[in-house]
Amino acid sequence: MARTVFEKADAVALVAEVFRELGYEGATLSRITERTGLGKGSLYHFFPGGKEAMAAEVLAHVDGWFAANVFRPLEQDEPRLAIAWMWNTIDEYFRSGRSICLVGTFSLDATRDRFAGAIRGYFTRWIAALQQALIRAGTEAEAAGRQAEAVVIQLQGALVLSRALHDETVFARTLRRLAAELPR
Amino acid sequence: MARTVFEKADAVALVAEVFRELGYEGATLSRITERTGLGKGSLYHFFPGGKEAMAAEVLAHVDGWFAANVFRPLEQDEPRLAIAWMWNTIDEYFRSGRSICLVGTFSLDATRDRFAGAIRGYFTRWIAALQQALIRAGTEAEAAGRQAEAVVIQLQGALVLSRALHDETVFARTLRRLAAELPR
DNA sequence: GTCTATACAGTGATAGAC
DNA sequence: GTCTATCACTGTATAGAC
């Protein structure tokens, strides 16, 4: 059988998907091995810190992706454009609700305490970035804060409900509703 | 050491709390034993079906509680009164966001597939009950459906964010915002 | 970098004494 | 009903060959 050689970046992306689907506790090493095709040897070569290091790197990877594709545009680009861009990016990223938010999953059980800093950082930056964009688009500061928080809440909630009902239309519908409520 | 004798109802309530805090995979038998004070002997006496039966009964218990305290009032009582009652009940139940939704937690990882029916039933009945109340309060049917779904989404999302940020005010703020948007 | 073999604690579950 | 002892198995992690 042909050996497949991975780079670390590939490994992180593959492992991320397993954590996303199964949660931290549900993602056992054997399931990670089985779903990624990476043997234990490879996994511990890439992540000498073991399972906790895998999850930490995966969180950092997700945060980096959002920083580049969502947070920075909101912070720096033309605000209405960045907000419109966010709806599309988010819809693609969560595959219209079929995939879910790894950070959200980690928030709900005791995994939160293991990665408290990374989890808090992700959400606070998202809310702050969106608030700034709204302010620059002409919204009053306090209202912008409330609105930004409400958007993140509804995205997370829509992911929960989408998955609970096996119904992708929930997420798409929520995105459309939010887009209509915010400055365009 | 004094032996404490439990009834099954006590056992279900105690076990529920462990699943809520740790999730299905995180709630190992030893952690359940340690946090409830119930030995394995007692647990398997109450739940011959093992861990999966524990979670199933816990889900049924949660559903029963919501049926009595949230769904039936929405379905049968004066709608504006039932909606006002819901905000208070929910706030207490989730201890203002410090506690989270067991059904929501189970929705996000592979646990969903284990209890798909119970999970879907809980959310569909909640949304349908709220939609009916809104219709009886004078809202047009389709708008009532959208609004009911949005409320459940935002409650779930607020629980995620509350926990992620260690910030209870998120949940309280969301409840107030929702209460202001719905008929009173 | 990937594999195999292996350590050893922890997993869900059962049986029998009280 | 509750306890203790124990089962077979899976959990994370490590070591060494290639």
Side-chain angles (χ1 to χ4, degrees):
Chain A
M1 169 157 162
R3 275 193 341 171
T4 316
V5 178
F6 292 98
E7 308 232 331
K8 176 147 180 184
D10 303 323
V12 171
L14 286 168
V15 171
E17 195 50 32
V18 184
F19 278 118
R20 208 191 312 279
E21 281 176 29
L22 305 179
Y24 184 78
E25 300 282 357
T28 64
L29 284 195
S30 64
R31 284 201 262 247
I32 294 175
T33 299
E34 149 195 322
R35 297 194 184 208
T36 60
L38 291 154
K40 282 188 198 180
S42 309
L43 285 170
Y44 277 89
H45 167 72
F46 287 128
F47 310 98
K51 185 175 160 175
E52 183 150 3
M54 293 177 210
E57 295 220 39
V58 159
L59 275 173
H61 176 256
V62 169
D63 194 71
W65 192 93
F66 270 82
N69 293 284
V70 180
F71 306 157
R72 264 199 285 281
L74 287 172
E75 287 158 358
Q76 298 174 354
D77 297 353
E78 199 285 311
R80 288 162 201 271
L81 220 72
I83 291 170
W85 167 263
M86 179 175 81
W87 304 130
N88 286 320
T89 312
I90 293 298
D91 188 42
E92 264 184 45
Y93 183 81
F94 294 119
R95 297 183 308 143
S96 307
R98 267 167 295 132
S99 178
I100 57 144
C101 179
L102 182 112
V103 193
T105 318
F106 280 13
S107 302
L108 284 183
D109 59 27
T111 311
R112 175 197 63 167
D113 304 317
R114 230 186 253 266
F115 306 105
I119 291 173
R120 187 192 257 121
Y122 170 84
F123 283 118
T124 49
R125 183 163 178 203
W126 192 350
I127 293 170
L130 182 51
Q131 180 185 18
Q132 288 310 311
L134 288 169
I135 290 174
R136 288 189 292 126
T139 311
E140 180 268 323
E142 209 185 327
R146 277 198 306 274
Q147 227 171 356
E149 183 180 275
V151 165
V152 173
I153 283 174
Q154 290 182 69
L155 292 176
Q156 293 299 313
L159 290 173
V160 172
L161 196 64
S162 279
R163 258 191 79 83
L165 300 180
H166 283 78
D167 179 0
E168 308 143 29
T169 68
V170 172
F171 190 71
R173 202 154 49 231
T174 304
L175 269 185
R176 262 186 278 115
R177 186 163 45 77
L178 291 174
E181 286 171 12
L182 262 63
R184 267 162 301 162
Chain B
M1 160 142 171
R3 277 193 343 172
T4 317
V5 179
F6 292 98
E7 310 230 329
K8 175 148 182 183
D10 303 322
V12 171
L14 286 168
V15 171
E17 196 50 31
V18 185
F19 278 119
R20 209 192 310 280
E21 283 177 25
L22 305 179
Y24 184 78
E25 301 281 357
T28 64
L29 282 197
S30 62
R31 284 202 261 249
I32 294 174
T33 300
E34 148 196 322
R35 299 196 181 207
T36 61
L38 291 154
K40 281 189 198 182
S42 308
L43 285 170
Y44 277 89
H45 167 70
F46 288 128
F47 309 99
K51 186 175 162 176
E52 184 149 3
M54 295 177 210
E57 294 219 40
V58 160
L59 275 172
H61 177 257
V62 168
D63 194 71
W65 192 93
F66 269 82
N69 293 284
V70 179
F71 306 156
R72 264 198 287 278
L74 287 171
E75 287 158 0
Q76 297 171 355
D77 297 353
E78 199 283 312
R80 287 162 201 270
L81 219 72
I83 291 170
W85 166 263
M86 178 174 81
W87 304 129
N88 287 319
T89 312
I90 292 300
D91 188 42
E92 265 185 45
Y93 183 81
F94 293 118
R95 298 182 309 144
S96 306
R98 267 167 294 134
S99 178
I100 57 145
C101 179
L102 184 110
V103 193
T105 317
F106 281 13
S107 301
L108 284 184
D109 60 26
T111 311
R112 174 195 63 167
D113 304 317
R114 230 185 255 266
F115 306 107
I119 291 172
R120 186 191 258 121
Y122 170 84
F123 283 117
T124 49
R125 184 162 176 203
W126 192 349
I127 293 170
L130 183 52
Q131 179 184 19
Q132 286 312 311
L134 288 169
I135 289 173
R136 286 188 296 125
T139 310
E140 180 268 322
E142 208 184 327
R146 275 198 308 274
Q147 228 171 354
E149 183 180 273
V151 165
V152 173
I153 283 174
Q154 289 182 71
L155 292 175
Q156 293 299 314
L159 290 173
V160 172
L161 195 64
S162 279
R163 259 191 80 82
L165 300 180
H166 282 78
D167 180 359
E168 308 144 28
T169 68
V170 172
F171 190 70
R173 201 155 48 234
T174 304
L175 269 185
R176 262 186 280 117
R177 185 163 46 76
L178 291 174
E181 286 171 11
L182 262 63
R184 266 162 303 161

